[in-house]
Structure formats: C-alpha cells, structure tokens
Amino acid sequence: MARKQIAARLTGDDYQARFFWYIASQLLFNNSNVETVILENDEAKYIDDVTVFYKKHQKSDLRNLSEADFYQVKYHVDQRDSYTADNVIDPSFVGSSSKKSLLQRFYETYNELKEKYSFFTLNLVSNWIWRGDDGLATSIRDSGALPEKFFIENERTEIGQIRARWKNHLLIDDETFQDFGRKLRLKLNYFGNDQLNEVLNDRLIRVGLSPIDTSSIKSPYDDLARKFIQKGKTIFNKDSLHEVCKCEG
C-alpha cells in the first residue's frame, strides 16, 4: 500500500511539473501576453501550484481584465470518483486534516488576494470529471466559470439551492459570495497524462525546446521543476526561462 501511495504522489508531482511547463512555455511565444510564471507560489496559500501574471491590460477573462490566474492541480491516477457540488464543501473529500473543504480553502486564498489584485481567477485543474447527475455538471462553462444563472436563480431551483448551500457553508454575505464565485474556475476533466504530454510537446516544439521523449521513463523537465523548488528558483520571466533552458540544453 505504501508503495502505491508513494507512486501516486510522485505521478501527481510529475503532472504538476508538466503543467508548469505547459503554462510557462507561453513566456517564449512571440508577442506573449504572459509576463511572469511562478511555481509553488507562497502568496496563494491553497492555490499555489502555478501562478500566471499577465502584462497590463492584456488578458481578458469574461469581459474582465485579469491580472493573474492561480492554479491548484489535483491529479488522480484513476477515475474512481468525481466532483459534485456537495463534495467540494465536504472536508473529507480532500482528506483535509485541517477540516477545511475545498471551497473553504479557495475562499481563504481569495481573502488573501482580493486586496492585492483588481481581478484574478482561482483555478482548480483536475483530470477527474463532474458526476453526470450533479446539479452543476451540465452548466459549468468551457472556461470552468460558474454560469450566470448560478448567481441569480431563485433558491427554490436546484442550482439556487446549491448556491445557498455554498454560501451558508462559507458563512458569508451574498455580495462577498458573488465576487468570490465569479473568480472560480473549475477546470475538470482537464488533461490526462497522455493528453498533457501531447499538448506540452506541441508547445515545446513551437518555442524551439526539445520535446519530452514519452518512450523514456525519465524527463529532464520533471527533474528541473523539482530542482527549481529545492533551490528556491521558482519565479520566471521570458529571459530567465530562456536562460535556464539554454544552460540545461
């Protein structure tokens, strides 16, 4: 059992590393609107895996000019479970020793960031899906944003009842909940490992970097991401990322 748990954790670490490279490679695009990418951002307590900062007035998100996207990556080695509107407010769903649900963790991070940035998004990225019969499953937008009807429908409707449960769970007023909820991006059924490798390699090739050799059991990209964290070198702009890629061949 211990071996399987360690293997699952390491697979999750590799997935996060490759997601970082998938995002960070945008720094090397011509005319990229990405200014800075951070791996393991201490500023965002529970949504710290990857952070993207954009050049001023160059990232539009549902008619808002976004300064930053904060990502928390949840990779699962199988599909034994799925997300629902109720398990995101259940601390046991994320095995939380602090007794905080996934939604509470995101709300706590929101409170830390809302005074620093005019608009930002809080992104959950996972290869698990919404459960098909869930009240939100058919209404989440392609961007992962909650639909407008989530915020306005009467509490007698199914989606209105979900909103009421979430708001009561967080013990906050409607105005605060609306601002928080409009920053959530629930990007479920994202990439599996094979899909992530494919889209990552496409980006790596486009910016002149060596693709991942998927036939090999090792990857310099995974190792580099771990070394970045170990050495505290986790903040990158176009020049610094280009330099480290050049030095590492």
Side-chain angles (χ1 to χ4, degrees), residues 152-164:
I152 62 175
E153 284 208 354
N154 190 287
E155 291 189 3
R156 289 192 296 270
T157 66
E158 182 180 24
I159 203 165
Q161 291 172 6
I162 292 171
R163 182 184 70 245

Side-chain angles (χ1 to χ4, degrees), residues 14-165:
D14 289 347
Y15 186 89
Q16 179 189 341
R18 296 186 188 193
F19 182 79
F20 160 75
W21 284 103
Y22 173 72
I23 296 295
S25 60
Q26 295 176 96
L27 287 166
L28 305 180
F29 287 176
N30 290 331
N31 302 315
S32 174
N33 67 342
V34 176
E35 187 167 54
T36 307
V37 176
I38 303 177
L39 176 64
E40 294 291 349
N41 183 5
D42 291 338
E43 181 184 44
K45 185 174 182 180
Y46 290 114
I47 315 176
D48 58 352
D49 287 342
V50 178
T51 305
V52 187
F53 289 98
Y54 297 95
K55 295 174 182 177
K56 192 173 182 180
H57 305 313
Q58 289 196 25
K59 170 64 186 303
S60 177
D61 187 289
L62 301 181
R63 299 182 298 278
N64 296 291
L65 287 174
S66 183
E67 294 179 64
D69 295 331
F70 297 85
Y71 290 94
Q72 190 65 25
V73 180
K74 298 287 187 184
Y75 180 77
H76 306 276
V77 296
D78 55 41
Q79 294 291 333
R80 73 181 65 184
D81 209 342
S82 54
Y83 286 85
T84 69
D86 285 331
N87 62 30
V88 299
I89 59 175
D90 179 3
S92 67
F93 180 68
V94 289
S96 175
S97 58
S98 63
K99 305 301 181 184
K100 292 180 181 177
S101 69
L102 186 63
L103 195 69
Q104 286 173 321
R105 292 179 176 193
F106 270 59
Y107 178 66
E108 188 171 324
T109 305
Y110 158 82
N111 275 325
E112 294 175 347
L113 300 174
K114 67 179 182 179
E115 303 302 327
K116 301 178 183 179
Y117 306 106
S118 58
F119 191 84
F120 55 92
T121 66
L122 303 170
N123 296 263
L124 171 66
V125 171
S126 178
N127 62 321
W128 273 4
I129 62 173
W130 282 110
R131 198 171 72 194
D133 62 351
D134 182 71
L136 283 179
T138 59
S139 58
I140 293 290
R141 301 177 63 148
D142 285 344
S143 65
L146 294 164
E148 184 60 25
K149 66 179 181 179
F150 177 82
F151 299 99
I152 62 175
E153 284 208 354
N154 190 287
E155 291 189 3
R156 289 192 296 270
T157 66
E158 182 180 24
I159 203 165
Q161 291 172 6
I162 292 171
R163 182 184 70 245
R165 291 200 297 274

